[in-house]
Amino acid sequence: MRLCLIADTHGKHDYLLLPEADLLIHCGDMCEYSDPRPDPLGEMDDWFKAAPAKDVICIAGNHDRSLERRSPGSSPPFPHATYLEDSATTIGGLIVYGSPWCPNLPGFAFYATDDELREHWRKIPEGIDILVTHTPPHGILDTPSRSRRHLGCPILLEELKRIRPRLHVFGHVHAGYGRKQSGDTLFVNAASFSTGGHEPRPPWVVEM
C-alpha cells in the first residue's frame, strides 16, 4: 500500500502537489486558529474528494477549532475522509489509530494536561500498524528552528514502548520535517510548510 503523508497545511492545501496514493493521511492543523473562511471544513472535504488517493484519513491539530467545537455525537465532519479522534479504522488490512491531543498549549484546540494525556495515550492499543498524532513524541523530529529545545510529548514517547507501531506519523513542529527509523518503528514528521512559509514541502511517500 502506498501512503502519502501530510500535516500542518493551515488552509494552504491547494499549494500542495500530491502524488497518487492508496491512502492519504493528514496529521492535523488543516485550519488556522482564527480561520476567516466561512466553511473551512467543507472546503477541506472538497479537497479530500479531489485528492488522487483511494482513501483519506485525517485527525485534528491545535489550530483546528472548527473540529474541537463539534457537538458530541454529531455526524462525521468529512464525507470524503475518515476522521479519527481517539479511534481506529482498518484500510487495506492496515490498522490506523488517530489522536489529536497536544501538550503545553492551553488556550489552543485539543490541549490536554499531563494527566489527560496519559489517559488518551493509554487508549492506544498495541498491535496497530499506523499511529497518527498531531504532536511528535519527545526527542523525535520535534526541535524548532534555531533551538535545541524539544517540543514533543514525553508521555507519548513512554507509551510508544508499549504500542510499537510500524509507522508513527505526526506534524506540529514544522521545523522537524523529516523521517527517522528507530527500532521497528518509522517516524515521520510530515509538516507540509515551514513556519510562516508559503512554499510547500514534498509530501512523504511510504510503502507498506
Side-chain angles (χ1 to χ4, degrees):
M1 177 174 280
R2 192 172 199 236
L3 313 181
C4 177
L5 311 175
I6 61 173
D8 301 280
T9 50
H10 293 282
K12 296 179 285 191
H13 43 271
D14 284 333
Y15 289 90
L16 290 176
L17 282 176
L18 298 181
E20 291 189 3
D22 298 299
L23 176 61
L24 170 65
I25 298 178
H26 194 307
C27 306
D29 274 6
M30 305 172 220
C31 307
E32 290 286 12
Y33 183 77
S34 298
D35 204 302
R37 295 172 294 169
D39 184 16
L41 299 185
E43 181 181 311
M44 201 73 216
D45 188 63
D46 290 341
W47 189 75
F48 285 149
K49 181 181 179 181
K54 296 175 184 176
D55 292 289
V56 180
I57 287 175
C58 63
I59 66 167
N62 60 291
H63 283 263
D64 293 323
R65 279 288 193 196
S66 298
L67 288 167
E68 186 184 54
R69 290 172 177 157
R70 294 173 59 245
S71 301
S74 59
S75 59
F78 302 109
H80 299 99
T82 299
Y83 173 69
L84 300 179
E85 187 177 314
D86 295 325
S87 57
T89 189
T90 300
I91 293 181
L94 297 176
I95 302 172
V96 186
Y97 188 99
S99 187
W101 306 98
C102 287
N104 306 320
L105 289 171
F108 281 80
F110 296 99
Y111 160 71
T113 65
D114 284 355
D115 286 343
E116 291 167 338
L117 287 167
R118 286 188 183 92
E119 290 302 311
H120 289 303
W121 303 147
R122 283 172 184 162
K123 294 177 184 176
I124 304 172
E126 300 174 32
I128 61 173
D129 296 292
I130 303 171
L131 175 60
V132 185
T133 61
H134 187 60
T135 182
H138 182 82
I140 299 177
L141 304 172
D142 69 336
T143 305
S145 299
R146 298 182 297 277
S147 172
R148 295 181 180 178
R149 186 166 54 108
H150 294 293
L151 299 181
C153 179
I155 302 168
L156 178 57
L157 178 66
E158 189 64 26
E159 283 296 320
L160 284 170
K161 297 175 185 177
R162 172 186 61 82
I163 303 163
R164 297 178 63 187
R166 294 169 59 194
L167 170 66
H168 181 192
V169 56
F170 45 84
H172 186 48
V173 181
H174 296 208
Y177 172 82
R179 58 188 285 169
K180 176 182 180 179
Q181 184 77 38
S182 180
D184 296 329
T185 302
L186 173 63
F187 295 92
V188 176
N189 182 323
S192 298
F193 292 85
S194 61
T195 301
H198 293 279
E199 290 296 322
R201 295 157 164 163
W204 286 105
V205 175
V206 172
E207 299 279 353
M208 292 188 73

